[in-house]
Amino acid sequence: MSQTLAAVSGSLGSIGYGLAAIGPGVGIGIIFGNGTQALARQPEAAGLIRANQILGFAFCEALALIGIVMPFVFGQ
């Protein structure tokens, strides 16, 4: 005798992306948090710090964009 306790309907890829978005979100928070601390400690290096922040943000955001695309690529 088999019983179904719960049925899952919808796209599991969207659930996976929701979980995958946690990593880039944490990474972006760390980048800008540490960048703010660095600017407070050494304001004369603001240009270099800001450039590194933008580069780090771009890499983290690229991970999030890859996470959006992967459910469509590997989906049914």
Side-chain angles (χ1 to χ4, degrees), residues 3 5 8 10 12 20 22 24 26-27 30-31 35 40 47-49 54 57-58 63 69 71-72 74 76:
Q3 293 181 348
L5 297 176
V8 177
L12 291 177
I22 294 171
V26 169
I30 290 172
I31 288 169
L48 181 63
I49 293 168
I54 292 171
F57 173 75
L63 288 175
V69 173
F72 296 111
F74 294 114
Q76 304 167 357

Side-chain angles (χ1 to χ4, degrees), residues 22-48:
I22 294 171
V26 169
I28 290 170
I30 290 172
I31 288 169
F32 285 107
N34 289 337
T36 303
Q37 284 183 359
L39 284 171
R41 292 174 188 245
Q42 204 167 12
E44 64 273 4
L48 181 63

